[in-house]
Amino acid sequence: MTVSSSENEVSNMYLLVGFGNPGRQYRETRHNVGFMVMDTLAGALHTTLGRVQSKALVGTAEHAGCKIILAKPQTYMNLSGQAVAGLMHFYKIPLSNLLVAHDDLDLPLGTIRMRPGGGSAGQKGLGSTIERLGTQDFPRLRVGIGRPPGQMEAAEYVLRDFPSGEREMLHAVLEHAAEAALVFVEYGLNEAMNRYNGSLQKE
């Protein structure tokens, strides 16, 4: 069976989405590491996320013969699925070519973990996306932010900025996550998981 040029074009198109909250007051918060991953990717791919589409800031780039759409939903975290579903529908992206980057309380800072699917574990952007897509079977890139100290509520913790003492590790893990996303595009999820899942602290 021959593959039409339009079908081949879709199979070579990827949507990489980072979760966060829009607004300057949230820019450096733990909850916005998904946005930070997209910004790091944009820098590596020499593009910008300057266009508004489907309630998201969007940029496009080419990598390894594939077209990449980078997106940062602008709906606030708990409605992120609106942007993801809108872009998936518009570009006819297969689920296997979607990668969602988000913060994860259950992983320490310096750790990333890619996986092919699963529940939301309370991450509201993931929950919204699962609801909108009608499935939890899509790749995601979990970026560890650690647990809140003492008795601090998680909702308060995720909206706090990274302190200066964590900025060096944050920069390193964002570069690590961006590299993982590009390996996902070029070589697939299994290769990206094998190469990048784990902690930078061990290196």
Side-chain angles (χ1 to χ4, degrees):
M1 184 180 71
T2 59
V3 178
S4 71
S5 59
S6 61
E7 287 174 332
N8 188 60
E9 186 176 329
V10 168
S11 68
N12 286 328
M13 188 176 293
Y14 288 79
L15 175 61
L16 310 183
V17 182
F19 289 158
N21 287 308
R24 183 172 297 176
Q25 70 272 35
Y26 299 112
R27 187 175 298 166
E28 305 294 332
T29 63
R30 296 178 189 275
H31 222 15
N32 272 37
V33 291
F35 277 11
M36 296 177 198
V37 172
M38 292 303 110
D39 290 336
T40 304
L41 274 167
L45 294 168
H46 309 291
T47 189
T48 58
L49 285 81
R51 180 164 53 89
V52 177
Q53 182 182 3
S54 297
K55 300 181 180 179
L57 283 175
V58 172
T60 57
E62 301 279 337
H63 178 73
C66 299
K67 181 176 181 180
I68 298 174
I69 297 109
L70 303 176
K72 298 193 296 187
Q74 299 294 292
T75 55
Y76 289 102
M77 184 72 76
N78 63 337
L79 298 175
S80 298
Q82 294 179 5
V84 178
L87 291 167
M88 291 285 285
H89 177 75
F90 182 84
Y91 289 105
K92 298 179 173 61
I93 306 279
L95 276 174
S96 59
N97 288 15
L98 167 67
L99 181 67
V100 172
H102 64 89
D103 60 296
D104 195 304
L105 287 162
D106 293 325
L107 297 176
L109 179 65
T111 300
I112 70 168
R113 189 159 296 152
M114 304 180 81
R115 59 185 299 188
S120 69
Q123 214 286 348
K124 295 187 183 301
L126 269 184
S128 172
T129 301
I130 290 168
E131 180 183 359
R132 284 282 175 162
L133 296 181
T135 180
Q136 59 184 21
D137 297 328
F138 55 87
R140 65 278 309 265
L141 169 54
R142 301 162 60 196
V143 182
I145 60 171
R147 300 295 306 181
Q151 301 299 313
M152 185 185 295
E153 293 289 334
E156 178 186 352
Y157 175 72
V158 297
L159 295 179
R160 289 200 168 189
D161 288 2
F162 286 94
S164 58
E166 293 182 346
R167 293 301 173 92
E168 185 176 348
M169 177 56 73
L170 173 63
H171 176 76
V173 80
L174 291 175
E175 294 283 348
H176 194 63
E179 290 174 11
L182 293 179
V183 168
F184 163 75
V185 170
E186 188 169 0
Y187 299 107
L189 181 61
N190 285 338
E191 182 67 20
M193 289 192 299
N194 289 337
R195 286 200 207 177
Y196 291 92
N197 279 5
S199 174
L200 292 176
Q201 304 278 11
K202 298 175 184 176
E203 299 176 1

